[in-house]
Amino acid sequence: MIHPPQIATLLALTGQRLPIIQAPIGSAATPDLVIAVCKAGGLGGLGLTWDSPDEVAAKVTHLRQALPGSAFFANFVLHFPCDGFDAALEAGVPVVTFSWGIDAARIARAHRAGTKVGVQVGNAEGARRAVDAGADFLIAQGVEAGGHVQSTTPLATLLPQVVAVAGNRPVVAAGGIASATTILQAITEGAAGAMLGTRFLATREAAVHPDYKAALVAAKAEDTAFTNCFDIDWPFAMHRVLRNSTFTAWEAAGSPQPPHRPGEGDIVLRQNGAALVRYCDTPPGPDATGDLLGACLYAGTGVSDIDSIEGAGDLVTRLWAEVQAALAKTRHEGAPA
Ligand SMILES: Cc1cc2nc3c(=O)[nH]c(=O)nc-3n(C[C@H](O)[C@H](O)[C@H](O)COP(=O)(O)O)c2cc1C
């Protein structure tokens, strides 16, 4: 197996076998998704920001039993209280990742529990603060990313800035990566691994509605928008979504502020016993009903590279085999005659 040198540090740190990481993708990341990714050698993880301590303990314990000796991670979005963080440590989570904040006290608690910590950043200043706070590895999230986006900078510009600040800490690249070509590009530019979110939404195990998965397969990068349109439940946080009927009607109306937006207050989705209004930040889950494609459909620019729904484990295996083949070809072509 061919490994550019920076990858070895990440693999030794987190215990994963391949430098492909499934991003925390909110409730779309199920234990089945994480297990499939980890069994294929990647690093999978759950978003546990909104879970209670008991729910967090149960999920981490379940994954530890399903993946004996294998790494996985729990993600916490520090804009929110993250009540289950200490429960995750107590249950023995091997790796945690943070986004939307840097918390030296929580990083120190994780280290005391033997847990490694990755911090997602969107600029060089954030990278500096994460290093000072004790992060073991950094995740550089470019503006191409799907979901909520911390950055306003393209990944190709951001990555070398974060690598320069990170010193000997590995840096994972995130945002718009959904193919072997873009994984290899990130590695070539100094990343120790690639984190893919949108690509894992279009897998059999992801807990989102099949119509949303089909929309991802059909979409191209230019069908995404970096916006604050879907701001209910998390105002003032930019995100990247598909340009759907709700977005285009809002844009055509001049992007008005609440409560003056078209269709404000309409019920857009019903799921898990709840009625969700237009502009809420929840995507359609597997059993949702209503105006499914008018809901918030997170997507990064990497949608251009998604052309089928795959099993998550097969996806990890295929992507890494393609990266290996491309690396071998480069070495062969670069070798002296
Ligand atoms: C549906 C969805 C939900 C997400 N939820 C979270 C989350 O809970 N916590 C987090 O740190 N990042 C979250 N992200 C952002 C990812 O961590 C990652 O930065 C992003 O998916 C990378 O870009 P890509 O989607 O283009 O691969 C989410 C992304 C998506 C697409």
Side-chain angles (χ1 to χ4, degrees):
M1 184 170 294
I2 301 167
H3 275 166
Q6 71 273 18
I7 294 178
T9 319
L10 177 73
L11 303 187
L13 182 77
T14 60
Q16 63 197 95
R17 195 161 47 78
L18 305 177
I20 295 178
I21 301 178
Q22 163 248 309
I25 43 174
S27 55
T30 59
D32 282 353
L33 176 65
V34 175
I35 290 166
V37 169
C38 293
K39 284 194 167 164
L43 185 69
L46 293 176
L48 297 178
T49 301
W50 298 275
D51 289 67
S52 70
D54 285 350
E55 289 166 338
V56 167
K59 287 180 181 177
V60 171
T61 302
H62 172 65
L63 286 180
R64 285 193 66 191
Q65 285 165 355
L67 295 166
S70 167
F72 62 91
F73 74 90
N75 167 259
F76 295 94
V77 179
L78 293 178
H79 174 79
F80 299 96
C82 300
D83 294 331
F85 173 71
D86 288 298
L89 299 183
E90 279 156 28
V93 70
V95 179
V96 294
T97 68
F98 293 129
S99 58
W100 293 84
I102 292 161
D103 185 336
R106 278 186 166 129
I107 294 175
R109 292 217 291 284
H111 285 161
R112 280 199 294 277
T115 299
K116 302 295 183 195
V117 181
V119 176
Q120 181 168 275
V121 298
N123 56 41
E125 173 54 25
R128 225 166 267 122
R129 290 197 292 116
V131 166
D132 289 347
D136 298 300
F137 67 100
L138 304 181
I139 302 153
Q141 187 202 40
V143 72
E144 300 89 343
H148 285 91
V149 185
Q150 289 176 248
S151 185
T152 52
T153 308
L155 182 59
T157 307
L158 177 67
L159 182 59
Q161 295 173 359
V162 174
V163 168
V165 171
N168 57 6
R169 288 168 190 78
V171 178
V172 172
I177 302 175
S179 67
T181 306
T182 44
I183 293 172
L184 188 53
Q185 192 179 338
I187 290 171
T188 307
E189 288 166 7
M195 177 179 265
L196 289 63
T198 304
R199 180 54 267 208
F200 280 101
L201 288 175
T203 58
R204 282 199 289 278
E205 294 87 347
V208 296
H209 196 280
D211 290 3
Y212 177 16
K213 294 183 189 181
L216 292 170
V217 172
K220 298 286 171 237
E222 55 271 26
D223 301 321
T224 70
F226 179 57
T227 179
N228 64 351
C229 178
F230 295 91
D231 74 342
I232 294 179
D233 296 331
W234 190 358
F236 311 114
M238 296 297 284
H239 40 273
R240 187 176 292 279
V241 290
L242 293 183
R243 298 170 55 88
N244 63 0
S245 55
T246 298
F247 177 84
T248 52
W250 173 72
E251 190 180 48
S255 309
Q257 291 303 301
H260 305 294
R261 302 177 291 191
E264 191 98 49
D266 291 354
I267 304 296
V268 71
L269 287 183
R270 290 181 194 278
Q271 60 184 7
N272 306 326
L276 303 174
V277 292
R278 198 172 297 283
Y279 304 106
C280 81
D281 70 349
T282 307
D287 303 319
T289 58
D291 180 10
L292 300 169
L293 296 183
C296 178
L297 304 176
Y298 296 115
T301 60
V303 281
S304 294
D305 292 321
I306 301 177
D307 53 17
S308 66
I309 312 294
E310 299 179 64
D314 293 344
L315 173 64
V316 171
T317 304
R318 175 179 69 76
L319 288 172
W320 191 242
E322 289 175 11
V323 170
Q324 288 292 304
L327 275 171
K329 189 160 176 269
T330 310
R331 294 202 172 189
H332 179 70
E333 283 169 1

